[in-house]
Amino acid sequence: MTLIIAALLASLLVLINFNYFQLLFQHLFKQYELNLIPIAIVKVFFGKKNKLNLVHLEVIPGIWSLSLKKILTSAVAYFFLSTGFLIAFGLAILIPEYRMTVSQSASAFHGIGALILALYIDPMISRSLDIDLQSPKWLENIYSIFVGRLLAYLLALIVLLGLYFYM
């Protein structure tokens, strides 16, 4: 539960400071062109700051411009990915006679989330980055996924707290 709270807070921090983090990763990718990844990470955080021609996001989409379908799909995918082990092992505790069989269902829970990511979310992001880079649609898609991820962590936290207080 602590890790879900940490993931929720970290995702919220990234959402609030999205421009800072995307600039940080742009700088990291520029350093990676010249160095190995560990050296690039060290140079980004401790090296001298080079003047790069980085993209600054000027317009952040409002919550009402985001796609509800993409938010909910992302929330379902990340809910299954973040709680797969917890659900499977929780069921294994509740059904001790079949605990080995039930504990193996963690792969099924993760598989649901992975399929949604692989078949819907990743192609949608790739297509919007390839085609709509000049329009703000790609940024709305990214924010929709982030909001969905936050909702998934919040829902997971509520479900786990509910189960904790119920048992």
Side-chain angles (χ1 to χ4, degrees), residues 48-167:
K48 66 178 185 170
K49 302 297 180 200
N50 296 332
K51 294 291 183 188
L52 298 172
N53 188 12
L54 301 175
V55 177
H56 290 275
L57 300 177
E58 296 175 8
V59 178
I60 296 174
I63 191 73
W64 301 113
S65 68
L66 302 179
S67 168
L68 183 62
K69 175 184 168 186
K70 292 172 185 172
I71 290 173
L72 293 177
T73 306
S74 174
V76 168
Y78 285 110
F79 177 79
F80 280 111
L81 285 172
S82 66
T83 61
F85 283 113
L86 296 172
I87 291 172
F89 290 114
L91 289 173
I93 290 171
L94 291 176
I95 311 168
E97 302 86 38
Y98 301 105
R99 67 180 162 257
M100 292 303 289
T101 303
V102 173
S103 65
Q104 296 300 315
S105 65
S107 299
F109 290 119
H110 281 124
I112 293 168
L115 279 174
I116 294 170
L117 278 173
L119 298 178
Y120 179 72
I121 293 175
D122 287 344
M124 179 260 307
I125 289 294
S126 298
R127 192 172 38 258
S128 69
L129 286 174
D130 289 342
I131 297 170
D132 295 332
L133 195 56
Q134 301 306 321
S135 74
K137 188 72 173 166
W138 69 272
L139 192 57
E140 291 172 7
N141 289 339
I142 300 264
Y143 269 87
S144 295
I145 290 170
F146 260 104
V147 170
R149 182 179 233 169
L150 285 172
L151 285 177
Y153 292 145
L154 192 59
L155 179 64
L157 190 61
I158 290 169
V159 166
L160 292 175
L161 283 175
L163 289 174
Y164 175 77
F165 287 119
Y166 176 73
M167 294 185 172

Side-chain angles (χ1 to χ4, degrees), residues 24 27-50:
L24 182 77
H27 189 67
L28 178 66
F29 294 146
K30 290 292 183 183
Q31 287 295 326
Y32 180 58
E33 289 177 356
L34 306 172
N35 305 294
L36 297 174
I37 193 71
I39 297 169
I41 291 171
V42 169
K43 284 189 174 186
V44 164
F45 288 109
F46 301 113
K48 66 178 185 170
K49 302 297 180 200
N50 296 332

